[in-house]
């Protein structure tokens, strides 16, 4: 099939490896010119491919492929589970669990229960793996869905059957004739045919930020992934999909990833940076996602050979506001946990040393026989070995026992000291809010999915929450504040201002013809007006909306712009000056019999300023004096501008001799003004209310537009950005603004800028550089106490720097160029300002959701840390056992993050001021709630801990057995969990609101989580048994536990009554975000280690429990053998279920009953 086209795929691929003049020479030497390549591909430079010839289209697909780069297949859920299971600490946990199960089934005397501890660990590991894999699977699915939507929506203009049509980029075929314009991203490789003033940004391939001029004579090679920065052209497609330059890069990357078996996390190099491989963004349409202007991003092509050199990309911007604050908070929590852990270890060691090495005389009572007591005397004699021998004298005792009390160092003490260290590490682990990352992920994923329905296509997740902190929005006018449905409503022809469409009788045929030709020819041929097939419907505008309004006006004058264009094809253009922000106008040059005709259109005051003649009342050109010019500006241009119209001047010029086309100023002067038109772009009806909502929310709206000052002022007042009283410093032109904020040598001066921006509301006649200076200046300003967070909108290619520099960049999904979209964080699919307000609301909801979870999580952690600390210091072990703590730390965290992170937003979110960049993440109100609820829970826990047996009338035997579940321990654990369940309801509000139930039934996930957690807790308590260290409770004990939990709601009202001023203003957590420099690799590794510590401590506990279980069995046998000695209930020392005491003595039994003796001979060194 390839022979049909007389040129093969490999030949085209080899051709496209050449650059600049090398490519031009290759085309001429081997193929005889560009026209020959068009012929070899059986295409036509004018009419393009035949869309009706399906056989030819299918043959091209077979010969050259489709313009589609197949993505790597997604990882299955089981593969993600397997990857999650590769974590070293999880593997160690599995090994520990297997060992525990084997020991329980083989060594233990009771194999029916010996396996339970190991099985519980395995279940916990599986749960961790499933949660991790589910989280990864959800994120990957979401990003693929987002990427597919971006790819599926990408279109390009092509010529087929002689007509310009829009098709999806993946439908492009080799041989297609593409029409490229300002802002397009090349979706395939090709060769330049014809064009005007074309400049390409190839930074995504070369790393060079200089724009490359393209032409047939100098550089006809056009590469996929590059961006059109200026001008327009036609090109013939020569390579698509995996055969294009972008496709080759993708294959190289995927091959490298497979070879190196790399994952999503690159290891840092010696400079602390990560090598992300060949490209940071690889699909063709996303190659420019690295954003123009980044010299360190993308790839480098060496010496035009096509060989690729990896370049380390830089981050898009610093951490988001919330990310930075969370990092800061995590460090502060780590400090708190570290101090608590060190204090715990110190107290335990001091207590151990005192108890072991500073003994006095002891006296105890024993029961011998039936009710007889005997006094035991301890007789001390110090020996050289450093220990005391004591003799037990017990009258009437059955048998004799020799007790030895050691006061010197013993090897067994190493084990106890190690346990103290493990307890300290446990305290540190408990302090880490392990559910926080999951809460952040769930909240962002939930919000992004919902924002899609509100016309916000989020490209970068962090932009979602950053928008909630926005204090300023720099918005475009056209399409964002206005409808972008433009129409000519006023016109000035032949000395008359007409506020309706003029009739043909009012104008001479020559003027109509001159105006129609100027508008039809001097505009992008991709701009078209399509008549609606349904009666009564408005025509559809395709392309530039301003040009479409002018073209529609031509039709209303009774002329056919399409017929004019057919007479003057783009190939016939002699020279084109494309529109840009500096030129403020566009010009097209046609060759005539007598010389050249130049058509010009652009900003009214700019183009009129270049005119020296104007068409008068009789249709003839008359001189344009300075007086006439001033009158036209005042009576026509400013009059239209006061009516909020965009003013466009249409002019022309005939020359007989060819001018110096490089001298723009000389060429585009001495023009003749044909007409001045006023184009209306109505303000969206919903915008004024949306702006009022933003202003109430503390968000300042600034309008940045290219319109003149008068039009901008009028639109701003209609929108509500400016009030009738505001003027002067509230509205500036770009040139004036630039002078005010720069020194005489052109250097930006932040101090001068700080005098301007606080009052500025409208920036008119602004350039992209003005917008960039405005955005970066506000972000860097330190005038505001909490620093400004800036969002900006943009639609043009030159808006990319400002979009990238902003904290949140919004691109227009309809009117925006591909470059602008790829430089943005969020794409507005409806180009509507109200969607930005919705994004702000969702962002605040994300911020609040994470704050709610933090309020809940930190309360749990503070209580757990304090309980572990007090219990460990008082009795040598944590009151909350390992498996119950796993339920609290893992299940409760996961469910709570799901419940609190999915709260839907309400309009109340816009009734408060934004937090800004430096306001603490943990506010004083939240800190008051955390401390207040922690006090309530600690009081309850300590009362149950030390007085639970009395309050619940428990028999001591119910909790003195330390190695079996007890009612006392179960009540403590149950009350703790129920307090968290009810405090989860309290945590729904974090700004001091009293009604914590309001809107609860609007969040079905929250209700389901509360009910599910409650049911699971009942099952766990009643049926958990040995595995969860719980035993069933009666109705009275259940009632008390639930009542204690419900007391949280009542206590919450008490806490809400306390003013936040009781919290010192200096107590600030998560105050300001880390900068990129602060977030060093060392700190990040340290934070990662905290996360892993929790797994490691569980490993240690698993091994320890296995040893303790075996030891417990033997101890019970020893107790049974010496059952003639029983403790007196009235005088026994208190021993609690949570303590694990080591014996202070070695026991040697003599003269025991023969039946019992063999049971102990095997373990005569066992500590009991």
């Amino acid at each position: 099939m390839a022979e049909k086209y007389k040129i093969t795929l490999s030949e085209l691929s080899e051709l496209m490896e050449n650059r600049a003049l090398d490519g031009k020479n290759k085309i001429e030497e081997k193929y005889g010119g560009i026209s020959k390549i068009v012929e070899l591909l059986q295409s036509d430079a004018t009419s393009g491919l035949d869309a009706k010839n399906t056989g030819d289209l299918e043959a091209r697909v077979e010969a050259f492929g489709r313009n589609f780069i197949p993505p790597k297949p997604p990882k299955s859920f089981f593969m993600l589970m397997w990857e999650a299971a590769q974590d070293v600490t999880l593997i160690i946990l599995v090994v520990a669990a297997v060992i525990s199960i084997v020991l329980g089934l083989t060594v233990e005397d009771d194999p029916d229960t010996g396996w339970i501890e190991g099985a519980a660990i395995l279940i916990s590991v599986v749960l961790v793996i499933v949660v991790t894999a589910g989280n990864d699977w959800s994120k990957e699915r979401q990003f693929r869905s987002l990427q597919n939507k971006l790819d599926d929506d990408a279109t390009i203009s092509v010529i087929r059957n002689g007509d310009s049509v829009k098709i999806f980029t993946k439908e492009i075929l080799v041989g297609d004739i593409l029409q490229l314009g300002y802002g397009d991203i090349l979706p395939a490789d090709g060769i330049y045919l014809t064009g005007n003033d074309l400049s390409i940004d190839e930074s995504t391939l070369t790393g060079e930020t200089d724009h490359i001029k393209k032409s047939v004579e100098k550089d006809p090679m056009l590469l996929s992934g590059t961006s059109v920065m200026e001008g327009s052209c036609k090109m013939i497609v020569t390579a698509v999909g995996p055969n294009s330059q972008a496709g080759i890069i993708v294959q190289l990357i995927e091959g490298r990833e497979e070879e190196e078996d790399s994952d999503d996390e690159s290891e840092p190099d010696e400079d602390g940076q990560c090598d992300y491989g060949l490209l940071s963004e690889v699909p063709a349409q996303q190659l420019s996602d690295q954003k123009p202007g980044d010299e360190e991003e993308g790839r480098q092509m060496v010496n035009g050979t096509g060989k690729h050199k990896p370049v380390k990309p830089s981050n898009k911007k610093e951490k988001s506001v919330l990310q930075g604050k969370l990092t800061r908070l995590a460090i502060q929590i780590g400090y708190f946990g570290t101090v608590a852990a060190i204090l715990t270890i110190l107290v335990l060691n001091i207590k151990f040393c005192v108890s072991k090495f500073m003994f006095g005389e002891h006296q105890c009572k024993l029961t011998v026989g039936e009710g007889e007591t005997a006094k035991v005397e301890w007789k001390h004699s110090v020996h050289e070995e450093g220990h005391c021998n004591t003799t037990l004298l017990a009258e009437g005792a059955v048998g004799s026992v020799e007790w030895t009390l050691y006061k010197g160092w013993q090897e067994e003490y190493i084990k106890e000291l190690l346990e103290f260290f493990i307890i300290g590490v446990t305290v540190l682990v408990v302090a880490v809010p392990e559910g926080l990352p999951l809460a952040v992920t769930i909240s962002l994923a939930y919000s992004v999915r919902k924002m899609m329905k509100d016309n916000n296509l989020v490209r970068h997740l962090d932009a979602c929450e950053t928008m909630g902190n926005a204090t300023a929005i720099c918005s475009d006018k056209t399409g964002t504040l206005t409808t972008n449905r433009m129409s000519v409503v006023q016109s000035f022809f032949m000395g008359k201002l007409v506020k309706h469409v003029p009739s043909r009788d009012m104008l001479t045929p020559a003027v109509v013809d001159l105006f129609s030709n100027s508008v039809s020819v001097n505009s992008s041929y991709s701009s078209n007006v399509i008549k609606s097939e349904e009666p009564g419907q408005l025509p559809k505008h395709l392309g530039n909306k301003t040009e479409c309004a002018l073209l529609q006006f031509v039709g209303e004058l009774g002329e056919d712009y399409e017929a004019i264009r057919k007479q003057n094809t783009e190939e016939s253009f002699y020279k084109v000056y494309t529109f840009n922000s500096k030129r403020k106008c566009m010009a097209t040059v046609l060759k005539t019999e007598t010389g050249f005709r130049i058509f010009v259109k652009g900003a009214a005051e700019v183009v009129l300023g270049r005119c020296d003649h104007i068409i008068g009342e009789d249709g003839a050109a008359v001189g344009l004096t300075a007086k006439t010019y001033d009158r036209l500006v005042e009576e026509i241009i400013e009059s239209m501008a006061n009516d909020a119209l965009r003013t466009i001047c249409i002019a022309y010029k005939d020359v007989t001799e060819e001018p110096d086309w490089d001298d723009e100023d000389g060429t585009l002067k001495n023009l003749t003004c044909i007409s001045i038109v006023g184009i209306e772009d109505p303000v969206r009806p919903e915008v004024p209310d949306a702006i009022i909502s933003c202003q109430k929310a503390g968000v300042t709206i600034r309008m940045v537009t290219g319109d003149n000052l008068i039009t901008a002022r009028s639109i701003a007042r209609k929108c509500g950005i400016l009030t009738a009283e505001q003027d002067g410093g509230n509205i500036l032109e770009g040139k004036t603004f630039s002078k005010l904020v720069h020194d005489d040598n052109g250097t930006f001066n932040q101090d001068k800028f700080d005098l301007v921006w606080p009052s500025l509301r409208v920036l008119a006649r602004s350039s992209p550089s003005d917008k960039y200076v405005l955005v970066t200046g506000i972000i860097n300003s330190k005038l505001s106490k909490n620093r400004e967070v800036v969002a900006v909108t943009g639609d043009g290619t030159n808006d990319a720097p400002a979009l990238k520099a902003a904290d949140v960049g919004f691109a227009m999904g309809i009117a925006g160029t591909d470059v602008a979209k790829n430089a943005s964080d969020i794409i507005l699919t409806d180009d509507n300002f109200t969607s930005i307000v919705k994004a702000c609301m969702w962002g605040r909801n994300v911020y609040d959701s994470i704050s709610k979870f933090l309020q809940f999580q930190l309360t749990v952690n503070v209580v757990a840390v304090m309980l572990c600390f007090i219990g460990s210091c008082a009795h040598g072990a944590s009151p909350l056992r390992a498996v119950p703590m796993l339920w609290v730390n893992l299940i409760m965290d996961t469910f709570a993050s799901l419940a609190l992170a999915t709260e839907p937003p309400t309009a109340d979110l816009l009734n408060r001021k934004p937090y800004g960049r430096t306001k603490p993440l943990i506010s004083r109100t939240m800190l008051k709630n955390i401390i207040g609820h922690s006090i309530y829970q600690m009081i309850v826990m300590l009362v149950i801990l030390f007085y639970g047996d009395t309050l619940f009338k428990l028999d001591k035997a119910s909790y003195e057995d330390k190695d079996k579940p007890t009612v006392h321990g179960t009540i403590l654990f149950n009350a703790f969990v129920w307090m968290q369940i009810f405090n989860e309801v309290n945590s729904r509000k974090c700004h001091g609101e009293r009604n914590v139930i309001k809107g609860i039934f609007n969040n079905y996930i929250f209700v389901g989580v509360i009910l599910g957690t409650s049911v699971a807790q009942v099952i766990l308590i009643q049926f958990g048994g040995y595995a969860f260290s719980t035993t069933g409770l009666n109705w009275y004990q259940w009632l008390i536990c639930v009542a204690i939990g419900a007391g949280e709601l009542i206590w919450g009202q008490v806490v809400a009554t306390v003013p936040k001023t009781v919290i010192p203003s200096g107590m600030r957590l998560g105050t300001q975000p880390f900068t990129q420099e602060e977030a060093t690799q060392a700190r990040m590794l340290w934070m990662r280690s905290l996360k892993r510590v929790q797994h490691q401590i569980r490993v240690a506990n698993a091994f320890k429990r296995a040893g303790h279980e075996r030891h417990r069995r033997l101890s019970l046998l020893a107790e049974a053998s010496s059952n003639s000695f029983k403790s007196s209930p009235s005088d026994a020392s208190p021993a609690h279920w949570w303590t694990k005491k080591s014996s202070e003595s070695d026991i040697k039994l003599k003269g025991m009953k023969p039946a019992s003796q063999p049971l102990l001979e095997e373990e005569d060194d066992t500590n009991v």
Side-chain angles (χ1 to χ4, degrees), residues 1144-1159:
E1144 298 176 354
S1145 307
D1146 286 348
I1147 299 179
K1148 296 181 181 179
L1149 300 173
K1150 300 178 181 178
M1152 299 300 291
K1153 294 181 180 181
S1156 302
Q1157 188 170 346
L1159 297 175

Side-chain angles (χ1 to χ4, degrees), residues 61 111-112 174 198 308 329 392 461 506 595 638 663 674 688 822 872 901 914 937 954 1076 1126 1152:
V61 171
D112 292 337
V174 169
L198 183 67
H308 303 287
L329 179 64
L392 174 63
L461 278 181
M506 297 175 62
E638 291 185 1
D663 180 15
I674 303 172
N822 285 322
S872 300
Q937 295 185 22
L954 301 176
Q1076 198 74 6
K1126 296 182 180 179
M1152 299 300 291

